[in-house]
Amino acid sequence: IPMRIRIRSKIFAFRLRSLKMMTPHANDIRTDPLLMRDTTEIIESGMLSALKYEKSCGALVFRQDPKTGRMYILMIRHKHGGHRSFPKGHVEAGETEHQTAIREVEEETAVRIRITSPFSEKVHYSPMPGVQKEVVYFMAMTDQRAIHPHDGEIADVEWVPLENAERSLTHENDKIVLRAAMKELEGSIL
């Protein structure tokens, strides 16, 4: 392993510890562009082999009420911790990212979706010490109004009016993804 990578991994660890002491959402490396760059380089170099790496995919699912034209976004509330977010889950062997997102949304919410946009947004964070997680989000549409939470990990599923979406989310990284999706929506129709 080149010396440059070893030094950068030590700098990365120091920045991550410093960031965790300073910010409420310190486990979200997207808040520091240097950490994001260093994470990518360190992962590609194999330096994180001692850490567990997880990958999940999910979707920001939109629905338009045909009578009123009002837009809604699908959100879940987890049983453990009670936080609100978008449906997502682990990639299974042989699946593409799109296949994972479609499967996970249906498993967690009973909603069938269509990924209709090239939008893709990645989030990196550490859900617990020794674990690095990457989540890839897509934008999707559905006409389905009926929802049902998955028994087990999901406490509730709801259609949130789009104008209330950002304040309904718990974590800043989800809000960042929502803002990026909203910019994409402004320029196109799903």
Side-chain angles (χ1 to χ4, degrees):
I1 297 172
M3 177 62 82
R4 182 175 70 86
I5 297 295
R6 284 188 294 214
I7 290 170
R8 288 187 66 140
S9 69
K10 289 179 182 179
I11 293 169
F12 169 78
F14 173 76
R15 283 190 191 136
L16 189 57
R17 281 194 305 274
S18 299
L19 186 63
K20 284 185 177 184
M21 290 186 282
M22 295 185 300
T23 65
H25 299 288
N27 61 349
D28 181 4
I29 67 168
R30 286 185 50 158
T31 60
D32 183 336
L34 292 174
L35 282 176
M36 200 160 95
R37 181 200 68 206
D38 289 350
T39 299
T40 301
E41 186 169 332
I42 291 167
I43 288 171
E44 289 171 356
S45 74
M47 287 291 292
L48 291 181
S49 58
L51 293 178
K52 182 178 177 187
Y53 173 77
E54 296 178 354
K55 183 173 185 177
S56 293
C57 296
L60 284 73
V61 181
F62 297 90
R63 177 181 67 82
Q64 186 171 24
D65 185 302
K67 292 180 184 169
T68 66
R70 190 174 193 189
M71 291 291 290
Y72 293 86
I73 189 165
L74 186 64
M75 288 192 194
I76 60 172
R77 188 171 52 82
H78 294 269
K79 282 187 178 176
H80 306 291
H83 63 278
R84 275 201 178 108
S85 64
F86 306 114
K88 66 180 180 303
H90 291 94
V91 177
E92 292 184 0
E95 275 186 326
T96 67
E97 292 175 341
H98 277 181
Q99 289 169 334
T100 299
I102 291 166
R103 177 184 52 77
E104 285 291 341
V105 169
E106 187 168 3
E107 283 180 7
E108 292 187 351
T109 68
V111 173
R112 298 186 68 119
I113 64 170
R114 299 176 314 278
I115 296 176
T116 56
S117 164
F119 175 86
S120 172
E121 189 74 14
K122 292 181 181 180
V123 174
H124 297 89
Y125 63 98
S126 176
M128 63 188 76
V131 178
Q132 281 294 318
K133 185 164 188 164
E134 176 183 66
V135 182
V136 181
Y137 285 105
F138 302 99
M139 283 193 340
M141 283 294 288
T142 188
D143 297 324
Q144 184 180 329
R145 189 166 182 237
I147 51 180
H148 180 72
H150 177 267
D151 293 335
E153 60 198 52
I154 308 300
D156 196 20
V157 179
E158 60 188 319
W159 286 111
V160 176
L162 199 50
E163 63 271 16
N164 300 335
E166 189 167 344
R167 71 175 156 265
S168 297
L169 292 165
T170 305
H171 297 296
E172 184 63 24
N173 57 356
D174 290 330
K175 293 177 183 184
I176 291 168
V177 172
L178 176 65
R179 286 183 214 123
M182 295 304 294
K183 283 183 184 176
E184 180 83 11
L185 271 176
E186 289 172 6
S188 68
I189 296 179
L190 295 173

